[in-house]
Amino acid sequence: MSLFSGVRQLACACVLAALAGTALAAEWTPIGLDGGVINRIAGDPANPNQVYALGAGGLFASADHGVTWQRREAGMSAPVDGFGVLGVDPDYAGRVYVFDVQGRLWRSDDGAVNWQLAGYQTNAIRRAFADIPGSTQSSYLVADGTLLRSDDAGATFTTVNGNIPPDLHITAIAVDRAAPARLLAGTADGRILFSTNSGTTWSVADVGSEDVGQLAFGASGMYAIVGRTVYTSENGSAWGATSVDGIALSLEPLRSGQGDVLIGTTDGVYGATAFGSTLSAHQLGLPGQPGDRSHVTALYVSNASSYALPTDALVATSGGGILAYSVASHAWESRSTGIHSATVRALAFQGAGENRLFAGLSNEMSLTGSPLWPFQALGVGPVLQGLQSEASMIRDIAIDPTTAGDARTMHLYAGGRYRGSRNAGLYKSINGGATWSRIEGGLPTSGGGAFIGTVREVALDLRSCASPPASGPCQSGPLNRVYATAAGRNDAYRVIRSDDAGSSWTDVSGNLPQMIEVDGTFELLTPMHLLLDPTDRNTLYLSTYADYYRDDDATVVQTMPSGVFRSTDGGQTWQQRSEGLPRMNGSTHTAWSVFAFAMHPRQPRRLIAGVTNYGFTEGRIYTSADGGDHWQDSSVGLVDCLPRALAIDPAAPSVIYVGGTATSGHGCVFRSENNGATWAPLHEGLPTVSVTAIARDPQDQARIVIGSMSGPWERREAPDKIFEDLDPL
């Protein structure tokens, strides 16, 4: 028997034939949120207007000094490693190097328009790449603590040994462009190495005990970021710490003249000149707006010789995309048009009225700008301002449907993780997102504020209005009962409930399994998604994942009960309901992690789960027709996809979408038209390494939207792929 009810296509063959000439193209297109996480930026000295940016969303190129950008990955067979290295050869106009997520080095000789495999491949972590001036074939690479050199345009790399002590873990490299035999290398324990003969011999200076992140040669000195502090030196042997506001993150040498280097910090951009081992620094402005302080991750200057007026400076940020300094306005302005590099972890349609689409942003690598953005149905709306100083990420958004008719009075809930002063990561708006407030009454405190770890899910009881109807969801509200899942505190507050619309909370983690500690092994259970039975307020379904920690690399057979749990008393007690779900290797009770979870909109005992094994090498789909009592594999056609999000077509519940990450490193989207019995891929042309959210437009059945590390994208289905339910009961 199939999991869900039958499906029929809306239009007959004759109608489809008539529409064939105007059928909607099933292609993925971006829908806004220009900017996002940019980790590297570099330019072509032969063409100052040609600039490259590398970020979470991939590789982008600009031919007009950042005014507009285009994704440039044509010909690559795997996504770019957006957190890796980016190399440009000043001696070969248009030559660019970048690695993909499979560790293969790609080279372009025409400004990133076309790409070819250079030949080198490594699974090692790549920290730095530096061109060697005077050669079109030579460059340095730092990978897994080793300094490597290529003299064949990236086909091969060999180790640069010299007299580097074998216990040193190299983290950074810089080449003096005026004298290419002079090198600086940094280590993970705060030592800086200096060579005057291309690495044949090195002198070593003990600067500190922290990681050396970046190095640079300036016209009047040498620069290093050790930990998050800037150090300078005149001769490479004596280094002195300097003072700039914020945490130093990036360096960019200037050309000869007034000033030596630009320094990017968590508080802005500084122009600096070294005098021996001291630094004269002047702040050049703070990128972004007050309360939206994205970190400066990288800097690029094409021709400027003075930091006083960096009119050609481009700044890469941890959440705000690319910024440029405007002399006219004396401020930093956005230069991110065409860059899609924002990580979207949550999506929610208003479902009525204007039908706005809300996207929750998440950047776990750093503190980003405003984490919640609204979209109009056919365009991008203004940025919501209320959460900038409160949240660093938003993992879920819930809209009270009884208030959705008027955006001005609509009630929204958001869950995520705090930013700045500690808070519980739970937020509410009663005016459509114009302003927000914390909702954390009754929750435990730590470090000066409420704290229950990252909030992953917010779920509303659709029958919790003051006067619910005899059956079905409330039509007028607002709703009062709200649930949330979180990492919790000391095994408590992993599932919480509010009966007063978020004003106060109680712990309903009940008897969920607690941490297990045996012989140095710690096993933990973390809730993920919570589903509420719309016909029975006391029945809840919870998906979880189990993890373990050890100080060594010993293999552990997990014992933690996990997978899916059910409660029939509103969370006071829970029972594991994972029979049929696959188990972790050798385990009896520990099921694969359930990172995606959904419920049939009309038959609440029919569930679907996306599961992933330990090590993230295999993903599957399982379905249950009896409230989780029994599960069966429904993965036919689901190839190379680790599920992270599920969406069921509300008009035709037999149509299901799943999104996630492929083990080969690209984002995946599959659709089933038969209740999960078989799956077909939809991700061709979708340029992202991971799909983290999926939403169907309740007012436009042809429209599906996904959230990803490349921002939000939409796809419009052809008329023959729009369905209706044959048997809604």
Side-chain angles (χ1 to χ4, degrees), residues 40 79-86 98-105 120-129 141-146 148 171:
R40 310 274 183 176
V80 165
D81 178 7
F83 296 91
V85 297
L86 171 65
V98 71
F99 280 88
D100 66 20
V101 293
Q102 297 178 9
R104 298 177 298 176
L105 180 63
Y120 181 70
Q121 182 172 4
T122 177
N123 292 324
I125 297 174
R126 301 166 292 277
R127 288 286 301 267
F129 189 98
L141 172 69
V142 174
D144 253 5
T146 302
L148 307 170
T171 56

PDB file of all heavy atoms in Angstrom, residues 40 79-86 98-105 120-129 141-146 148 171:
ATOM      1  N   ARG A  40      37.375  35.353   0.454  1.00  0.00           N
ATOM      2  CA  ARG A  40      38.579  35.782  -0.259  1.00  0.00           C
ATOM      3  C   ARG A  40      38.192  36.761  -1.361  1.00  0.00           C
ATOM      4  O   ARG A  40      37.113  36.654  -1.960  1.00  0.00           O
ATOM      5  CB  ARG A  40      39.294  34.592  -0.910  1.00  0.00           C
ATOM      6  CG  ARG A  40      39.550  33.400  -0.012  1.00  0.00           C
ATOM      7  CD  ARG A  40      40.830  33.533   0.758  1.00  0.00           C
ATOM      8  NE  ARG A  40      41.085  32.347   1.566  1.00  0.00           N
ATOM      9  CZ  ARG A  40      42.183  32.147   2.285  1.00  0.00           C
ATOM     10  NH1 ARG A  40      43.129  33.070   2.297  1.00  0.00           N
ATOM     11  NH2 ARG A  40      42.336  31.044   2.995  1.00  0.00           N
ATOM     12  N   PRO A  79      31.311  21.665  -7.220  1.00  0.00           N
ATOM     13  CA  PRO A  79      31.272  23.041  -6.728  1.00  0.00           C
ATOM     14  C   PRO A  79      32.626  23.511  -6.207  1.00  0.00           C
ATOM     15  O   PRO A  79      33.449  22.721  -5.740  1.00  0.00           O
ATOM     16  CB  PRO A  79      30.241  22.982  -5.591  1.00  0.00           C
ATOM     17  CG  PRO A  79      29.417  21.775  -5.870  1.00  0.00           C
ATOM     18  CD  PRO A  79      30.351  20.802  -6.515  1.00  0.00           C
ATOM     19  N   VAL A  80      32.819  24.810  -6.268  1.00  0.00           N
ATOM     20  CA  VAL A  80      34.035  25.423  -5.746  1.00  0.00           C
ATOM     21  C   VAL A  80      34.041  25.317  -4.217  1.00  0.00           C
ATOM     22  O   VAL A  80      33.000  25.394  -3.565  1.00  0.00           O
ATOM     23  CB  VAL A  80      34.099  26.898  -6.186  1.00  0.00           C
ATOM     24  CG1 VAL A  80      35.124  27.677  -5.389  1.00  0.00           C
ATOM     25  CG2 VAL A  80      34.423  26.987  -7.670  1.00  0.00           C
ATOM     26  N   ASP A  81      35.232  25.144  -3.652  1.00  0.00           N
ATOM     27  CA  ASP A  81      35.393  25.193  -2.202  1.00  0.00           C
ATOM     28  C   ASP A  81      35.388  26.656  -1.775  1.00  0.00           C
ATOM     29  O   ASP A  81      36.399  27.348  -1.855  1.00  0.00           O
ATOM     30  CB  ASP A  81      36.708  24.517  -1.804  1.00  0.00           C
ATOM     31  CG  ASP A  81      36.964  24.580  -0.307  1.00  0.00           C
ATOM     32  OD1 ASP A  81      36.064  25.033   0.434  1.00  0.00           O
ATOM     33  OD2 ASP A  81      38.064  24.177   0.121  1.00  0.00           O
ATOM     34  N   GLY A  82      34.235  27.121  -1.316  1.00  0.00           N
ATOM     35  CA  GLY A  82      34.079  28.525  -0.984  1.00  0.00           C
ATOM     36  C   GLY A  82      34.799  28.957   0.269  1.00  0.00           C
ATOM     37  O   GLY A  82      34.893  30.155   0.554  1.00  0.00           O
ATOM     38  N   PHE A  83      35.327  27.999   1.041  1.00  0.00           N
ATOM     39  CA  PHE A  83      36.071  28.328   2.252  1.00  0.00           C
ATOM     40  C   PHE A  83      37.550  27.999   2.092  1.00  0.00           C
ATOM     41  O   PHE A  83      38.293  27.945   3.069  1.00  0.00           O
ATOM     42  CB  PHE A  83      35.487  27.579   3.451  1.00  0.00           C
ATOM     43  CG  PHE A  83      34.076  27.984   3.761  1.00  0.00           C
ATOM     44  CD1 PHE A  83      32.995  27.314   3.188  1.00  0.00           C
ATOM     45  CD2 PHE A  83      33.813  29.054   4.594  1.00  0.00           C
ATOM     46  CE1 PHE A  83      31.689  27.700   3.458  1.00  0.00           C
ATOM     47  CE2 PHE A  83      32.513  29.445   4.870  1.00  0.00           C
ATOM     48  CZ  PHE A  83      31.446  28.768   4.305  1.00  0.00           C
ATOM     49  N   GLY A  84      37.979  27.799   0.832  1.00  0.00           N
ATOM     50  CA  GLY A  84      39.363  27.449   0.553  1.00  0.00           C
ATOM     51  C   GLY A  84      40.190  28.637   0.137  1.00  0.00           C
ATOM     52  O   GLY A  84      40.061  29.740   0.671  1.00  0.00           O
ATOM     53  N   VAL A  85      41.074  28.431  -0.843  1.00  0.00           N
ATOM     54  CA  VAL A  85      42.024  29.460  -1.254  1.00  0.00           C
ATOM     55  C   VAL A  85      41.694  29.944  -2.658  1.00  0.00           C
ATOM     56  O   VAL A  85      41.025  29.268  -3.446  1.00  0.00           O
ATOM     57  CB  VAL A  85      43.469  28.932  -1.206  1.00  0.00           C
ATOM     58  CG1 VAL A  85      43.835  28.564   0.213  1.00  0.00           C
ATOM     59  CG2 VAL A  85      43.651  27.726  -2.126  1.00  0.00           C
ATOM     60  N   LEU A  86      42.180  31.134  -2.976  1.00  0.00           N
ATOM     61  CA  LEU A  86      41.990  31.772  -4.278  1.00  0.00           C
ATOM     62  C   LEU A  86      43.326  32.357  -4.700  1.00  0.00           C
ATOM     63  O   LEU A  86      43.965  33.086  -3.930  1.00  0.00           O
ATOM     64  CB  LEU A  86      40.932  32.872  -4.164  1.00  0.00           C
ATOM     65  CG  LEU A  86      40.727  33.800  -5.358  1.00  0.00           C
ATOM     66  CD1 LEU A  86      40.199  33.016  -6.566  1.00  0.00           C
ATOM     67  CD2 LEU A  86      39.767  34.931  -4.993  1.00  0.00           C
ATOM     68  N   VAL A  98      41.677  27.957  -8.227  1.00  0.00           N
ATOM     69  CA  VAL A  98      40.726  27.702  -7.153  1.00  0.00           C
ATOM     70  C   VAL A  98      40.546  26.190  -7.017  1.00  0.00           C
ATOM     71  O   VAL A  98      40.686  25.443  -8.000  1.00  0.00           O
ATOM     72  CB  VAL A  98      39.374  28.405  -7.435  1.00  0.00           C
ATOM     73  CG1 VAL A  98      38.633  27.731  -8.582  1.00  0.00           C
ATOM     74  CG2 VAL A  98      38.516  28.470  -6.192  1.00  0.00           C
ATOM     75  N   PHE A  99      40.266  25.733  -5.804  1.00  0.00           N
ATOM     76  CA  PHE A  99      40.012  24.314  -5.561  1.00  0.00           C
ATOM     77  C   PHE A  99      38.510  24.060  -5.535  1.00  0.00           C
ATOM     78  O   PHE A  99      37.718  24.941  -5.173  1.00  0.00           O
ATOM     79  CB  PHE A  99      40.605  23.877  -4.223  1.00  0.00           C
ATOM     80  CG  PHE A  99      42.083  23.614  -4.253  1.00  0.00           C
ATOM     81  CD1 PHE A  99      42.988  24.643  -4.025  1.00  0.00           C
ATOM     82  CD2 PHE A  99      42.576  22.348  -4.501  1.00  0.00           C
ATOM     83  CE1 PHE A  99      44.352  24.414  -4.036  1.00  0.00           C
ATOM     84  CE2 PHE A  99      43.937  22.095  -4.523  1.00  0.00           C
ATOM     85  CZ  PHE A  99      44.831  23.130  -4.290  1.00  0.00           C
ATOM     86  N   ASP A 100      38.106  22.833  -5.888  1.00  0.00           N
ATOM     87  CA  ASP A 100      36.710  22.453  -5.721  1.00  0.00           C
ATOM     88  C   ASP A 100      36.561  21.646  -4.423  1.00  0.00           C
ATOM     89  O   ASP A 100      37.535  21.398  -3.708  1.00  0.00           O
ATOM     90  CB  ASP A 100      36.172  21.679  -6.934  1.00  0.00           C
ATOM     91  CG  ASP A 100      36.823  20.312  -7.150  1.00  0.00           C
ATOM     92  OD1 ASP A 100      37.410  19.762  -6.189  1.00  0.00           O
ATOM     93  OD2 ASP A 100      36.737  19.777  -8.268  1.00  0.00           O
ATOM     94  N   VAL A 101      35.344  21.264  -4.100  1.00  0.00           N
ATOM     95  CA  VAL A 101      35.086  20.588  -2.825  1.00  0.00           C
ATOM     96  C   VAL A 101      35.655  19.174  -2.794  1.00  0.00           C
ATOM     97  O   VAL A 101      35.712  18.563  -1.726  1.00  0.00           O
ATOM     98  CB  VAL A 101      33.571  20.548  -2.535  1.00  0.00           C
ATOM     99  CG1 VAL A 101      33.029  21.937  -2.294  1.00  0.00           C
ATOM    100  CG2 VAL A 101      32.812  19.850  -3.664  1.00  0.00           C
ATOM    101  N   GLN A 102      36.089  18.659  -3.926  1.00  0.00           N
ATOM    102  CA  GLN A 102      36.727  17.342  -3.963  1.00  0.00           C
ATOM    103  C   GLN A 102      38.242  17.441  -3.866  1.00  0.00           C
ATOM    104  O   GLN A 102      38.940  16.435  -3.991  1.00  0.00           O
ATOM    105  CB  GLN A 102      36.314  16.600  -5.236  1.00  0.00           C
ATOM    106  CG  GLN A 102      34.823  16.322  -5.313  1.00  0.00           C
ATOM    107  CD  GLN A 102      34.410  15.623  -6.608  1.00  0.00           C
ATOM    108  OE1 GLN A 102      35.256  15.184  -7.388  1.00  0.00           O
ATOM    109  NE2 GLN A 102      33.118  15.522  -6.834  1.00  0.00           N
ATOM    110  N   GLY A 103      38.755  18.657  -3.652  1.00  0.00           N
ATOM    111  CA  GLY A 103      40.184  18.845  -3.476  1.00  0.00           C
ATOM    112  C   GLY A 103      40.970  18.939  -4.766  1.00  0.00           C
ATOM    113  O   GLY A 103      42.211  18.851  -4.746  1.00  0.00           O
ATOM    114  N   ARG A 104      40.301  19.147  -5.892  1.00  0.00           N
ATOM    115  CA  ARG A 104      40.989  19.268  -7.179  1.00  0.00           C
ATOM    116  C   ARG A 104      41.272  20.735  -7.480  1.00  0.00           C
ATOM    117  O   ARG A 104      40.410  21.595  -7.299  1.00  0.00           O
ATOM    118  CB  ARG A 104      40.153  18.656  -8.296  1.00  0.00           C
ATOM    119  CG  ARG A 104      39.903  17.161  -8.109  1.00  0.00           C
ATOM    120  CD  ARG A 104      39.000  16.612  -9.203  1.00  0.00           C
ATOM    121  NE  ARG A 104      37.684  17.237  -9.182  1.00  0.00           N
ATOM    122  CZ  ARG A 104      36.724  16.988 -10.076  1.00  0.00           C
ATOM    123  NH1 ARG A 104      36.949  16.121 -11.054  1.00  0.00           N
ATOM    124  NH2 ARG A 104      35.557  17.586  -9.978  1.00  0.00           N
ATOM    125  N   LEU A 105      42.471  21.018  -7.970  1.00  0.00           N
ATOM    126  CA  LEU A 105      42.859  22.379  -8.332  1.00  0.00           C
ATOM    127  C   LEU A 105      42.444  22.665  -9.770  1.00  0.00           C
ATOM    128  O   LEU A 105      42.768  21.906 -10.686  1.00  0.00           O
ATOM    129  CB  LEU A 105      44.370  22.558  -8.176  1.00  0.00           C
ATOM    130  CG  LEU A 105      44.919  23.953  -8.522  1.00  0.00           C
ATOM    131  CD1 LEU A 105      44.340  25.008  -7.591  1.00  0.00           C
ATOM    132  CD2 LEU A 105      46.445  23.962  -8.465  1.00  0.00           C
ATOM    133  N   TYR A 120      46.661  18.925  -9.998  1.00  0.00           N
ATOM    134  CA  TYR A 120      46.940  18.609  -8.593  1.00  0.00           C
ATOM    135  C   TYR A 120      45.651  18.364  -7.840  1.00  0.00           C
ATOM    136  O   TYR A 120      44.634  19.025  -8.077  1.00  0.00           O
ATOM    137  CB  TYR A 120      47.704  19.768  -7.945  1.00  0.00           C
ATOM    138  CG  TYR A 120      48.071  19.528  -6.499  1.00  0.00           C
ATOM    139  CD1 TYR A 120      49.034  18.582  -6.152  1.00  0.00           C
ATOM    140  CD2 TYR A 120      47.446  20.241  -5.482  1.00  0.00           C
ATOM    141  CE1 TYR A 120      49.371  18.354  -4.824  1.00  0.00           C
ATOM    142  CE2 TYR A 120      47.783  20.025  -4.149  1.00  0.00           C
ATOM    143  CZ  TYR A 120      48.739  19.087  -3.830  1.00  0.00           C
ATOM    144  OH  TYR A 120      49.068  18.862  -2.519  1.00  0.00           O
ATOM    145  N   GLN A 121      45.679  17.413  -6.905  1.00  0.00           N
ATOM    146  CA  GLN A 121      44.530  17.115  -6.059  1.00  0.00           C
ATOM    147  C   GLN A 121      45.014  16.721  -4.681  1.00  0.00           C
ATOM    148  O   GLN A 121      46.011  16.015  -4.530  1.00  0.00           O
ATOM    149  CB  GLN A 121      43.676  15.985  -6.641  1.00  0.00           C
ATOM    150  CG  GLN A 121      42.426  15.670  -5.813  1.00  0.00           C
ATOM    151  CD  GLN A 121      41.497  14.677  -6.495  1.00  0.00           C
ATOM    152  OE1 GLN A 121      41.807  14.163  -7.561  1.00  0.00           O
ATOM    153  NE2 GLN A 121      40.363  14.422  -5.883  1.00  0.00           N
ATOM    154  N   THR A 122      44.306  17.194  -3.648  1.00  0.00           N
ATOM    155  CA  THR A 122      44.651  16.851  -2.278  1.00  0.00           C
ATOM    156  C   THR A 122      43.414  16.933  -1.407  1.00  0.00           C
ATOM    157  O   THR A 122      42.548  17.789  -1.615  1.00  0.00           O
ATOM    158  CB  THR A 122      45.740  17.779  -1.721  1.00  0.00           C
ATOM    159  OG1 THR A 122      45.988  17.437  -0.345  1.00  0.00           O
ATOM    160  CG2 THR A 122      45.313  19.241  -1.785  1.00  0.00           C
ATOM    161  N   ASN A 123      43.324  16.060  -0.431  1.00  0.00           N
ATOM    162  CA  ASN A 123      42.246  16.123   0.554  1.00  0.00           C
ATOM    163  C   ASN A 123      42.644  16.934   1.778  1.00  0.00           C
ATOM    164  O   ASN A 123      41.859  17.080   2.716  1.00  0.00           O
ATOM    165  CB  ASN A 123      41.841  14.710   0.983  1.00  0.00           C
ATOM    166  CG  ASN A 123      41.167  13.944  -0.141  1.00  0.00           C
ATOM    167  OD1 ASN A 123      40.423  14.518  -0.925  1.00  0.00           O
ATOM    168  ND2 ASN A 123      41.440  12.651  -0.223  1.00  0.00           N
ATOM    169  N   ALA A 124      43.864  17.458   1.770  1.00  0.00           N
ATOM    170  CA  ALA A 124      44.356  18.225   2.902  1.00  0.00           C
ATOM    171  C   ALA A 124      43.634  19.567   2.995  1.00  0.00           C
ATOM    172  O   ALA A 124      43.149  20.112   1.993  1.00  0.00           O
ATOM    173  CB  ALA A 124      45.859  18.456   2.757  1.00  0.00           C
ATOM    174  N   ILE A 125      43.570  20.107   4.215  1.00  0.00           N
ATOM    175  CA  ILE A 125      42.985  21.437   4.430  1.00  0.00           C
ATOM    176  C   ILE A 125      43.921  22.480   3.840  1.00  0.00           C
ATOM    177  O   ILE A 125      45.111  22.521   4.154  1.00  0.00           O
ATOM    178  CB  ILE A 125      42.766  21.692   5.928  1.00  0.00           C
ATOM    179  CG1 ILE A 125      41.764  20.684   6.484  1.00  0.00           C
ATOM    180  CG2 ILE A 125      42.292  23.119   6.173  1.00  0.00           C
ATOM    181  CD1 ILE A 125      41.583  20.757   7.979  1.00  0.00           C
ATOM    182  N   ARG A 126      43.383  23.334   2.986  1.00  0.00           N
ATOM    183  CA  ARG A 126      44.190  24.320   2.271  1.00  0.00           C
ATOM    184  C   ARG A 126      44.022  25.681   2.935  1.00  0.00           C
ATOM    185  O   ARG A 126      42.926  26.233   2.982  1.00  0.00           O
ATOM    186  CB  ARG A 126      43.767  24.347   0.803  1.00  0.00           C
ATOM    187  CG  ARG A 126      43.936  22.972   0.154  1.00  0.00           C
ATOM    188  CD  ARG A 126      43.239  22.848  -1.176  1.00  0.00           C
ATOM    189  NE  ARG A 126      41.784  22.865  -1.076  1.00  0.00           N
ATOM    190  CZ  ARG A 126      41.027  21.807  -0.796  1.00  0.00           C
ATOM    191  NH1 ARG A 126      41.588  20.642  -0.564  1.00  0.00           N
ATOM    192  NH2 ARG A 126      39.721  21.915  -0.735  1.00  0.00           N
ATOM    193  N   ARG A 127      45.123  26.248   3.422  1.00  0.00           N
ATOM    194  CA  ARG A 127      45.057  27.470   4.203  1.00  0.00           C
ATOM    195  C   ARG A 127      45.490  28.709   3.428  1.00  0.00           C
ATOM    196  O   ARG A 127      45.005  29.815   3.699  1.00  0.00           O
ATOM    197  CB  ARG A 127      45.942  27.330   5.453  1.00  0.00           C
ATOM    198  CG  ARG A 127      45.398  26.404   6.523  1.00  0.00           C
ATOM    199  CD  ARG A 127      44.252  27.050   7.265  1.00  0.00           C
ATOM    200  NE  ARG A 127      44.644  28.296   7.900  1.00  0.00           N
ATOM    201  CZ  ARG A 127      45.065  28.404   9.156  1.00  0.00           C
ATOM    202  NH1 ARG A 127      45.152  27.333   9.916  1.00  0.00           N
ATOM    203  NH2 ARG A 127      45.379  29.583   9.665  1.00  0.00           N
ATOM    204  N   ALA A 128      46.448  28.578   2.509  1.00  0.00           N
ATOM    205  CA  ALA A 128      46.983  29.778   1.848  1.00  0.00           C
ATOM    206  C   ALA A 128      47.548  29.424   0.476  1.00  0.00           C
ATOM    207  O   ALA A 128      48.007  28.300   0.247  1.00  0.00           O
ATOM    208  CB  ALA A 128      48.062  30.422   2.710  1.00  0.00           C
ATOM    209  N   PHE A 129      47.510  30.410  -0.428  1.00  0.00           N
ATOM    210  CA  PHE A 129      48.039  30.265  -1.783  1.00  0.00           C
ATOM    211  C   PHE A 129      48.744  31.575  -2.114  1.00  0.00           C
ATOM    212  O   PHE A 129      48.204  32.652  -1.857  1.00  0.00           O
ATOM    213  CB  PHE A 129      46.899  30.000  -2.772  1.00  0.00           C
ATOM    214  CG  PHE A 129      47.346  29.619  -4.155  1.00  0.00           C
ATOM    215  CD1 PHE A 129      47.387  28.294  -4.541  1.00  0.00           C
ATOM    216  CD2 PHE A 129      47.719  30.584  -5.074  1.00  0.00           C
ATOM    217  CE1 PHE A 129      47.789  27.935  -5.812  1.00  0.00           C
ATOM    218  CE2 PHE A 129      48.116  30.248  -6.354  1.00  0.00           C
ATOM    219  CZ  PHE A 129      48.153  28.903  -6.729  1.00  0.00           C
ATOM    220  N   LEU A 141      51.655  26.832  -1.941  1.00  0.00           N
ATOM    221  CA  LEU A 141      50.402  26.394  -1.343  1.00  0.00           C
ATOM    222  C   LEU A 141      50.696  25.872   0.060  1.00  0.00           C
ATOM    223  O   LEU A 141      51.680  25.146   0.262  1.00  0.00           O
ATOM    224  CB  LEU A 141      49.769  25.277  -2.189  1.00  0.00           C
ATOM    225  CG  LEU A 141      48.538  24.566  -1.604  1.00  0.00           C
ATOM    226  CD1 LEU A 141      47.335  25.507  -1.569  1.00  0.00           C
ATOM    227  CD2 LEU A 141      48.205  23.312  -2.424  1.00  0.00           C
ATOM    228  N   VAL A 142      49.854  26.252   1.017  1.00  0.00           N
ATOM    229  CA  VAL A 142      49.935  25.691   2.357  1.00  0.00           C
ATOM    230  C   VAL A 142      48.770  24.724   2.522  1.00  0.00           C
ATOM    231  O   VAL A 142      47.605  25.120   2.417  1.00  0.00           O
ATOM    232  CB  VAL A 142      49.870  26.783   3.437  1.00  0.00           C
ATOM    233  CG1 VAL A 142      49.820  26.147   4.823  1.00  0.00           C
ATOM    234  CG2 VAL A 142      51.070  27.712   3.326  1.00  0.00           C
ATOM    235  N   ALA A 143      49.089  23.446   2.766  1.00  0.00           N
ATOM    236  CA  ALA A 143      48.058  22.414   2.895  1.00  0.00           C
ATOM    237  C   ALA A 143      48.428  21.475   4.021  1.00  0.00           C
ATOM    238  O   ALA A 143      49.529  20.905   4.031  1.00  0.00           O
ATOM    239  CB  ALA A 143      47.894  21.639   1.584  1.00  0.00           C
ATOM    240  N   ASP A 144      47.510  21.330   4.977  1.00  0.00           N
ATOM    241  CA  ASP A 144      47.699  20.441   6.129  1.00  0.00           C
ATOM    242  C   ASP A 144      49.033  20.672   6.826  1.00  0.00           C
ATOM    243  O   ASP A 144      49.741  19.719   7.179  1.00  0.00           O
ATOM    244  CB  ASP A 144      47.568  18.978   5.703  1.00  0.00           C
ATOM    245  CG  ASP A 144      46.251  18.371   6.194  1.00  0.00           C
ATOM    246  OD1 ASP A 144      45.422  19.110   6.763  1.00  0.00           O
ATOM    247  OD2 ASP A 144      46.052  17.160   5.994  1.00  0.00           O
ATOM    248  N   GLY A 145      49.401  21.923   7.017  1.00  0.00           N
ATOM    249  CA  GLY A 145      50.590  22.253   7.780  1.00  0.00           C
ATOM    250  C   GLY A 145      51.887  22.179   7.025  1.00  0.00           C
ATOM    251  O   GLY A 145      52.961  22.340   7.611  1.00  0.00           O
ATOM    252  N   THR A 146      51.822  21.946   5.716  1.00  0.00           N
ATOM    253  CA  THR A 146      53.029  21.794   4.909  1.00  0.00           C
ATOM    254  C   THR A 146      53.089  22.884   3.849  1.00  0.00           C
ATOM    255  O   THR A 146      52.071  23.219   3.233  1.00  0.00           O
ATOM    256  CB  THR A 146      53.051  20.415   4.233  1.00  0.00           C
ATOM    257  OG1 THR A 146      52.976  19.395   5.223  1.00  0.00           O
ATOM    258  CG2 THR A 146      54.318  20.224   3.413  1.00  0.00           C
ATOM    259  N   LEU A 148      54.136  23.924   0.230  1.00  0.00           N
ATOM    260  CA  LEU A 148      54.348  23.259  -1.053  1.00  0.00           C
ATOM    261  C   LEU A 148      54.643  24.290  -2.134  1.00  0.00           C
ATOM    262  O   LEU A 148      54.241  25.453  -2.036  1.00  0.00           O
ATOM    263  CB  LEU A 148      53.112  22.450  -1.444  1.00  0.00           C
ATOM    264  CG  LEU A 148      52.586  21.449  -0.410  1.00  0.00           C
ATOM    265  CD1 LEU A 148      51.228  20.919  -0.839  1.00  0.00           C
ATOM    266  CD2 LEU A 148      53.575  20.310  -0.225  1.00  0.00           C
ATOM    267  N   THR A 171      50.839  27.538   8.575  1.00  0.00           N
ATOM    268  CA  THR A 171      49.463  28.012   8.392  1.00  0.00           C
ATOM    269  C   THR A 171      49.350  29.162   7.399  1.00  0.00           C
ATOM    270  O   THR A 171      48.249  29.441   6.920  1.00  0.00           O
ATOM    271  CB  THR A 171      48.884  28.491   9.728  1.00  0.00           C
ATOM    272  OG1 THR A 171      49.738  29.506  10.282  1.00  0.00           O
ATOM    273  CG2 THR A 171      48.768  27.336  10.723  1.00  0.00           C
TER     274      THR A 171
END
